[in-house]
PDB file of all heavy atoms in Angstrom:
ATOM      1  N   ALA A   1      14.267 -14.529  -4.986  1.00 77.00           N
ATOM      2  CA  ALA A   1      15.539 -15.203  -4.717  1.00 77.00           C
ATOM      3  C   ALA A   1      15.474 -16.075  -3.471  1.00 77.00           C
ATOM      4  O   ALA A   1      16.128 -17.117  -3.396  1.00 77.00           O
ATOM      5  CB  ALA A   1      16.656 -14.175  -4.580  1.00 77.00           C
ATOM      6  N   ILE A   2      14.677 -15.672  -2.478  1.00 82.00           N
ATOM      7  CA  ILE A   2      14.629 -16.432  -1.229  1.00 82.00           C
ATOM      8  C   ILE A   2      13.396 -17.328  -1.142  1.00 82.00           C
ATOM      9  O   ILE A   2      13.103 -17.901  -0.086  1.00 82.00           O
ATOM     10  CB  ILE A   2      14.675 -15.486  -0.005  1.00 82.00           C
ATOM     11  CG1 ILE A   2      13.475 -14.540   0.016  1.00 82.00           C
ATOM     12  CG2 ILE A   2      15.975 -14.713   0.005  1.00 82.00           C
ATOM     13  CD1 ILE A   2      13.464 -13.604   1.220  1.00 82.00           C
ATOM     14  N   GLY A   3      12.668 -17.439  -2.257  1.00 77.00           N
ATOM     15  CA  GLY A   3      11.565 -18.387  -2.322  1.00 77.00           C
ATOM     16  C   GLY A   3      10.249 -17.901  -1.747  1.00 77.00           C
ATOM     17  O   GLY A   3       9.373 -18.705  -1.435  1.00 77.00           O
ATOM     18  N   ILE A   4      10.091 -16.570  -1.601  1.00 81.00           N
ATOM     19  CA  ILE A   4       8.832 -15.997  -1.114  1.00 81.00           C
ATOM     20  C   ILE A   4       8.052 -15.462  -2.312  1.00 81.00           C
ATOM     21  O   ILE A   4       8.636 -14.921  -3.256  1.00 81.00           O
ATOM     22  CB  ILE A   4       9.102 -14.868  -0.099  1.00 81.00           C
ATOM     23  CG1 ILE A   4       9.841 -15.420   1.121  1.00 81.00           C
ATOM     24  CG2 ILE A   4       7.810 -14.194   0.334  1.00 81.00           C
ATOM     25  CD1 ILE A   4      10.260 -14.350   2.115  1.00 81.00           C
ATOM     26  N   ASN A   5       6.740 -15.602  -2.270  1.00 77.00           N
ATOM     27  CA  ASN A   5       5.917 -15.110  -3.370  1.00 77.00           C
ATOM     28  C   ASN A   5       6.111 -13.601  -3.535  1.00 77.00           C
ATOM     29  O   ASN A   5       5.935 -12.843  -2.572  1.00 77.00           O
ATOM     30  CB  ASN A   5       4.437 -15.415  -3.090  1.00 77.00           C
ATOM     31  CG  ASN A   5       3.576 -15.235  -4.320  1.00 77.00           C
ATOM     32  OD1 ASN A   5       3.667 -14.232  -5.014  1.00 77.00           O
ATOM     33  ND2 ASN A   5       2.728 -16.214  -4.598  1.00 77.00           N
ATOM     34  N   PRO A   6       6.471 -13.124  -4.752  1.00 78.00           N
ATOM     35  CA  PRO A   6       6.686 -11.681  -4.963  1.00 78.00           C
ATOM     36  C   PRO A   6       5.443 -10.838  -4.707  1.00 78.00           C
ATOM     37  O   PRO A   6       5.533  -9.615  -4.629  1.00 78.00           O
ATOM     38  CB  PRO A   6       7.114 -11.603  -6.437  1.00 78.00           C
ATOM     39  CG  PRO A   6       7.638 -12.950  -6.767  1.00 78.00           C
ATOM     40  CD  PRO A   6       6.828 -13.912  -5.944  1.00 78.00           C
ATOM     41  N   ALA A   7       4.284 -11.463  -4.590  1.00 80.00           N
ATOM     42  CA  ALA A   7       3.065 -10.708  -4.281  1.00 80.00           C
ATOM     43  C   ALA A   7       3.217  -9.938  -2.979  1.00 80.00           C
ATOM     44  O   ALA A   7       2.623  -8.857  -2.807  1.00 80.00           O
ATOM     45  CB  ALA A   7       1.866 -11.657  -4.200  1.00 80.00           C
ATOM     46  N   TRP A   8       4.022 -10.462  -2.043  1.00 87.00           N
ATOM     47  CA  TRP A   8       4.209  -9.767  -0.776  1.00 87.00           C
ATOM     48  C   TRP A   8       4.955  -8.451  -0.983  1.00 87.00           C
ATOM     49  O   TRP A   8       4.691  -7.462  -0.272  1.00 87.00           O
ATOM     50  CB  TRP A   8       4.954 -10.662   0.210  1.00 87.00           C
ATOM     51  CG  TRP A   8       4.150 -11.841   0.646  1.00 87.00           C
ATOM     52  CD1 TRP A   8       4.316 -13.144   0.275  1.00 87.00           C
ATOM     53  CD2 TRP A   8       3.008 -11.818   1.504  1.00 87.00           C
ATOM     54  NE1 TRP A   8       3.361 -13.945   0.852  1.00 87.00           N
ATOM     55  CE2 TRP A   8       2.538 -13.163   1.614  1.00 87.00           C
ATOM     56  CE3 TRP A   8       2.334 -10.816   2.197  1.00 87.00           C
ATOM     57  CZ2 TRP A   8       1.432 -13.502   2.382  1.00 87.00           C
ATOM     58  CZ3 TRP A   8       1.230 -11.151   2.966  1.00 87.00           C
ATOM     59  CH2 TRP A   8       0.794 -12.483   3.061  1.00 87.00           C
ATOM     60  N   ALA A   9       5.890  -8.415  -1.934  1.00 87.00           N
ATOM     61  CA  ALA A   9       6.589  -7.159  -2.232  1.00 87.00           C
ATOM     62  C   ALA A   9       5.634  -6.147  -2.849  1.00 87.00           C
ATOM     63  O   ALA A   9       5.670  -4.950  -2.534  1.00 87.00           O
ATOM     64  CB  ALA A   9       7.758  -7.429  -3.179  1.00 87.00           C
ATOM     65  N   ALA A  10       4.761  -6.626  -3.758  1.00 86.00           N
ATOM     66  CA  ALA A  10       3.770  -5.735  -4.360  1.00 86.00           C
ATOM     67  C   ALA A  10       2.826  -5.189  -3.298  1.00 86.00           C
ATOM     68  O   ALA A  10       2.475  -4.004  -3.309  1.00 86.00           O
ATOM     69  CB  ALA A  10       2.987  -6.484  -5.440  1.00 86.00           C
ATOM     70  N   LEU A  11       2.412  -6.058  -2.378  1.00 89.00           N
ATOM     71  CA  LEU A  11       1.524  -5.625  -1.301  1.00 89.00           C
ATOM     72  C   LEU A  11       2.209  -4.586  -0.417  1.00 89.00           C
ATOM     73  O   LEU A  11       1.584  -3.585  -0.019  1.00 89.00           O
ATOM     74  CB  LEU A  11       1.106  -6.833  -0.464  1.00 89.00           C
ATOM     75  CG  LEU A  11       0.217  -6.539   0.751  1.00 89.00           C
ATOM     76  CD1 LEU A  11      -1.102  -5.915   0.307  1.00 89.00           C
ATOM     77  CD2 LEU A  11      -0.038  -7.817   1.547  1.00 89.00           C
ATOM     78  N   ALA A  12       3.491  -4.788  -0.129  1.00 92.00           N
ATOM     79  CA  ALA A  12       4.221  -3.832   0.712  1.00 92.00           C
ATOM     80  C   ALA A  12       4.287  -2.463   0.042  1.00 92.00           C
ATOM     81  O   ALA A  12       4.054  -1.426   0.686  1.00 92.00           O
ATOM     82  CB  ALA A  12       5.630  -4.359   0.994  1.00 92.00           C
ATOM     83  N   GLY A  13       4.589  -2.437  -1.264  1.00 91.00           N
ATOM     84  CA  GLY A  13       4.643  -1.171  -1.983  1.00 91.00           C
ATOM     85  C   GLY A  13       3.292  -0.465  -1.985  1.00 91.00           C
ATOM     86  O   GLY A  13       3.202   0.755  -1.776  1.00 91.00           O
ATOM     87  N   ALA A  14       2.225  -1.233  -2.218  1.00 91.00           N
ATOM     88  CA  ALA A  14       0.884  -0.650  -2.225  1.00 91.00           C
ATOM     89  C   ALA A  14       0.519  -0.110  -0.842  1.00 91.00           C
ATOM     90  O   ALA A  14      -0.077   0.969  -0.719  1.00 91.00           O
ATOM     91  CB  ALA A  14      -0.136  -1.696  -2.676  1.00 91.00           C
ATOM     92  N   LEU A  15       0.881  -0.834   0.217  1.00 93.00           N
ATOM     93  CA  LEU A  15       0.554  -0.393   1.569  1.00 93.00           C
ATOM     94  C   LEU A  15       1.300   0.894   1.937  1.00 93.00           C
ATOM     95  O   LEU A  15       0.733   1.778   2.598  1.00 93.00           O
ATOM     96  CB  LEU A  15       0.891  -1.498   2.576  1.00 93.00           C
ATOM     97  CG  LEU A  15      -0.042  -2.711   2.581  1.00 93.00           C
ATOM     98  CD1 LEU A  15       0.484  -3.789   3.534  1.00 93.00           C
ATOM     99  CD2 LEU A  15      -1.457  -2.307   2.973  1.00 93.00           C
ATOM    100  N   VAL A  16       2.542   1.015   1.500  1.00 94.00           N
ATOM    101  CA  VAL A  16       3.304   2.230   1.801  1.00 94.00           C
ATOM    102  C   VAL A  16       2.647   3.447   1.160  1.00 94.00           C
ATOM    103  O   VAL A  16       2.430   4.488   1.814  1.00 94.00           O
ATOM    104  CB  VAL A  16       4.760   2.078   1.317  1.00 94.00           C
ATOM    105  CG1 VAL A  16       5.486   3.422   1.342  1.00 94.00           C
ATOM    106  CG2 VAL A  16       5.514   1.076   2.181  1.00 94.00           C
ATOM    107  N   LEU A  17       2.318   3.345  -0.127  1.00 92.00           N
ATOM    108  CA  LEU A  17       1.686   4.474  -0.812  1.00 92.00           C
ATOM    109  C   LEU A  17       0.280   4.725  -0.271  1.00 92.00           C
ATOM    110  O   LEU A  17      -0.165   5.878  -0.178  1.00 92.00           O
ATOM    111  CB  LEU A  17       1.636   4.225  -2.316  1.00 92.00           C
ATOM    112  CG  LEU A  17       2.948   4.376  -3.075  1.00 92.00           C
ATOM    113  CD1 LEU A  17       2.732   4.173  -4.570  1.00 92.00           C
ATOM    114  CD2 LEU A  17       3.565   5.752  -2.835  1.00 92.00           C
ATOM    115  N   ALA A  18      -0.428   3.652   0.071  1.00 94.00           N
ATOM    116  CA  ALA A  18      -1.781   3.812   0.604  1.00 94.00           C
ATOM    117  C   ALA A  18      -1.741   4.532   1.953  1.00 94.00           C
ATOM    118  O   ALA A  18      -2.571   5.423   2.222  1.00 94.00           O
ATOM    119  CB  ALA A  18      -2.452   2.453   0.746  1.00 94.00           C
ATOM    120  N   ALA A  19      -0.807   4.141   2.804  1.00 94.00           N
ATOM    121  CA  ALA A  19      -0.698   4.789   4.116  1.00 94.00           C
ATOM    122  C   ALA A  19      -0.400   6.280   3.958  1.00 94.00           C
ATOM    123  O   ALA A  19      -0.987   7.124   4.657  1.00 94.00           O
ATOM    124  CB  ALA A  19       0.402   4.111   4.938  1.00 94.00           C
ATOM    125  N   ARG A  20       0.476   6.616   3.042  1.00 92.00           N
ATOM    126  CA  ARG A  20       0.807   8.034   2.801  1.00 92.00           C
ATOM    127  C   ARG A  20      -0.407   8.792   2.271  1.00 92.00           C
ATOM    128  O   ARG A  20      -0.715   9.891   2.732  1.00 92.00           O
ATOM    129  CB  ARG A  20       1.966   8.114   1.817  1.00 92.00           C
ATOM    130  CG  ARG A  20       2.307   9.523   1.329  1.00 92.00           C
ATOM    131  CD  ARG A  20       3.425   9.437   0.305  1.00 92.00           C
ATOM    132  NE  ARG A  20       3.610  10.658  -0.443  1.00 92.00           N
ATOM    133  CZ  ARG A  20       4.409  11.663  -0.086  1.00 92.00           C
ATOM    134  NH1 ARG A  20       5.069  11.589   1.056  1.00 92.00           N
ATOM    135  NH2 ARG A  20       4.539  12.741  -0.829  1.00 92.00           N
ATOM    136  N   ALA A  21      -1.097   8.200   1.310  1.00 92.00           N
ATOM    137  CA  ALA A  21      -2.257   8.868   0.716  1.00 92.00           C
ATOM    138  C   ALA A  21      -3.380   9.046   1.736  1.00 92.00           C
ATOM    139  O   ALA A  21      -4.050  10.084   1.761  1.00 92.00           O
ATOM    140  CB  ALA A  21      -2.763   8.070  -0.489  1.00 92.00           C
ATOM    141  N   LEU A  22      -3.595   8.053   2.589  1.00 93.00           N
ATOM    142  CA  LEU A  22      -4.627   8.163   3.615  1.00 93.00           C
ATOM    143  C   LEU A  22      -4.254   9.213   4.657  1.00 93.00           C
ATOM    144  O   LEU A  22      -5.115   9.984   5.110  1.00 93.00           O
ATOM    145  CB  LEU A  22      -4.838   6.801   4.291  1.00 93.00           C
ATOM    146  CG  LEU A  22      -5.535   5.726   3.452  1.00 93.00           C
ATOM    147  CD1 LEU A  22      -5.446   4.369   4.139  1.00 93.00           C
ATOM    148  CD2 LEU A  22      -7.004   6.096   3.204  1.00 93.00           C
ATOM    149  N   ALA A  23      -2.975   9.244   5.016  1.00 92.00           N
ATOM    150  CA  ALA A  23      -2.536  10.226   6.009  1.00 92.00           C
ATOM    151  C   ALA A  23      -2.688  11.649   5.485  1.00 92.00           C
ATOM    152  O   ALA A  23      -3.005  12.575   6.248  1.00 92.00           O
ATOM    153  CB  ALA A  23      -1.079   9.955   6.402  1.00 92.00           C
ATOM    154  N   GLN A  24      -2.482  11.831   4.188  1.00 90.00           N
ATOM    155  CA  GLN A  24      -2.609  13.159   3.584  1.00 90.00           C
ATOM    156  C   GLN A  24      -4.026  13.439   3.097  1.00 90.00           C
ATOM    157  O   GLN A  24      -4.262  14.470   2.461  1.00 90.00           O
ATOM    158  CB  GLN A  24      -1.615  13.287   2.414  1.00 90.00           C
ATOM    159  CG  GLN A  24      -0.164  13.217   2.853  1.00 90.00           C
ATOM    160  CD  GLN A  24       0.811  13.342   1.680  1.00 90.00           C
ATOM    161  OE1 GLN A  24       0.415  13.225   0.519  1.00 90.00           O
ATOM    162  NE2 GLN A  24       2.067  13.581   1.993  1.00 90.00           N
ATOM    163  N   ARG A  25      -4.941  12.507   3.355  1.00 88.00           N
ATOM    164  CA  ARG A  25      -6.355  12.647   2.973  1.00 88.00           C
ATOM    165  C   ARG A  25      -6.535  12.858   1.472  1.00 88.00           C
ATOM    166  O   ARG A  25      -7.398  13.604   1.030  1.00 88.00           O
ATOM    167  CB  ARG A  25      -7.004  13.807   3.752  1.00 88.00           C
ATOM    168  CG  ARG A  25      -6.959  13.624   5.256  1.00 88.00           C
ATOM    169  CD  ARG A  25      -7.663  14.776   5.971  1.00 88.00           C
ATOM    170  NE  ARG A  25      -7.583  14.623   7.418  1.00 88.00           N
ATOM    171  CZ  ARG A  25      -8.415  13.871   8.144  1.00 88.00           C
ATOM    172  NH1 ARG A  25      -9.385  13.191   7.536  1.00 88.00           N
ATOM    173  NH2 ARG A  25      -8.280  13.798   9.455  1.00 88.00           N
ATOM    174  N   ARG A  26      -5.686  12.190   0.672  1.00 87.00           N
ATOM    175  CA  ARG A  26      -5.818  12.258  -0.787  1.00 87.00           C
ATOM    176  C   ARG A  26      -6.587  11.075  -1.350  1.00 87.00           C
ATOM    177  O   ARG A  26      -6.801  10.991  -2.562  1.00 87.00           O
ATOM    178  CB  ARG A  26      -4.439  12.344  -1.439  1.00 87.00           C
ATOM    179  CG  ARG A  26      -3.761  13.692  -1.264  1.00 87.00           C
ATOM    180  CD  ARG A  26      -2.481  13.814  -2.050  1.00 87.00           C
ATOM    181  NE  ARG A  26      -1.427  12.963  -1.499  1.00 87.00           N
ATOM    182  CZ  ARG A  26      -1.068  11.788  -1.996  1.00 87.00           C
ATOM    183  NH1 ARG A  26      -1.693  11.289  -3.045  1.00 87.00           N
ATOM    184  NH2 ARG A  26      -0.092  11.091  -1.435  1.00 87.00           N
ATOM    185  N   THR A  27      -6.963  10.136  -0.491  1.00 89.00           N
ATOM    186  CA  THR A  27      -7.733   8.988  -0.940  1.00 89.00           C
ATOM    187  C   THR A  27      -8.544   8.463   0.249  1.00 89.00           C
ATOM    188  O   THR A  27      -8.443   8.982   1.364  1.00 89.00           O
ATOM    189  CB  THR A  27      -6.820   7.883  -1.505  1.00 89.00           C
ATOM    190  OG1 THR A  27      -7.615   6.893  -2.168  1.00 89.00           O
ATOM    191  CG2 THR A  27      -6.004   7.215  -0.416  1.00 89.00           C
ATOM    192  N   THR A  28      -9.332   7.456  -0.018  1.00 91.00           N
ATOM    193  CA  THR A  28     -10.154   6.839   1.026  1.00 91.00           C
ATOM    194  C   THR A  28     -10.006   5.324   0.935  1.00 91.00           C
ATOM    195  O   THR A  28      -9.600   4.799  -0.117  1.00 91.00           O
ATOM    196  CB  THR A  28     -11.636   7.194   0.848  1.00 91.00           C
ATOM    197  OG1 THR A  28     -12.104   6.647  -0.405  1.00 91.00           O
ATOM    198  CG2 THR A  28     -11.830   8.704   0.847  1.00 91.00           C
ATOM    199  N   PRO A  29     -10.324   4.604   2.006  1.00 91.00           N
ATOM    200  CA  PRO A  29     -10.269   3.140   1.923  1.00 91.00           C
ATOM    201  C   PRO A  29     -11.147   2.595   0.800  1.00 91.00           C
ATOM    202  O   PRO A  29     -10.773   1.618   0.132  1.00 91.00           O
ATOM    203  CB  PRO A  29     -10.776   2.699   3.300  1.00 91.00           C
ATOM    204  CG  PRO A  29     -10.426   3.831   4.209  1.00 91.00           C
ATOM    205  CD  PRO A  29     -10.604   5.070   3.388  1.00 91.00           C
ATOM    206  N   THR A  30     -12.304   3.230   0.589  1.00 91.00           N
ATOM    207  CA  THR A  30     -13.187   2.772  -0.487  1.00 91.00           C
ATOM    208  C   THR A  30     -12.523   2.916  -1.848  1.00 91.00           C
ATOM    209  O   THR A  30     -12.624   2.035  -2.706  1.00 91.00           O
ATOM    210  CB  THR A  30     -14.505   3.560  -0.458  1.00 91.00           C
ATOM    211  OG1 THR A  30     -15.126   3.402   0.812  1.00 91.00           O
ATOM    212  CG2 THR A  30     -15.445   3.082  -1.555  1.00 91.00           C
ATOM    213  N   ALA A  31     -11.822   4.037  -2.055  1.00 91.00           N
ATOM    214  CA  ALA A  31     -11.146   4.253  -3.335  1.00 91.00           C
ATOM    215  C   ALA A  31     -10.017   3.247  -3.536  1.00 91.00           C
ATOM    216  O   ALA A  31      -9.786   2.785  -4.666  1.00 91.00           O
ATOM    217  CB  ALA A  31     -10.601   5.676  -3.395  1.00 91.00           C
ATOM    218  N   ILE A  32      -9.331   2.902  -2.466  1.00 91.00           N
ATOM    219  CA  ILE A  32      -8.241   1.930  -2.573  1.00 91.00           C
ATOM    220  C   ILE A  32      -8.791   0.561  -2.963  1.00 91.00           C
ATOM    221  O   ILE A  32      -8.249  -0.119  -3.841  1.00 91.00           O
ATOM    222  CB  ILE A  32      -7.455   1.862  -1.258  1.00 91.00           C
ATOM    223  CG1 ILE A  32      -6.701   3.174  -1.038  1.00 91.00           C
ATOM    224  CG2 ILE A  32      -6.477   0.690  -1.273  1.00 91.00           C
ATOM    225  CD1 ILE A  32      -6.044   3.287   0.318  1.00 91.00           C
TER     226      ILE A  32
END
């Protein structure tokens, strides 16, 4: 709606889940 590429929203969602998974040691940067 505000003219920004929606890819940034997808990236934000992925970063939130990635940060949680890394903090809980359920994944690794390589796996991401």
Side-chain angles (χ1 to χ4, degrees):
I2 62 179
I4 298 175
N5 194 312
W8 292 106
L11 177 62
L15 287 175
V16 168
L17 285 183
R20 172 183 166 89
L22 288 169
Q24 296 180 346
R25 300 182 182 276
R26 287 187 290 101
T27 191
T28 63
T30 302
I32 292 172

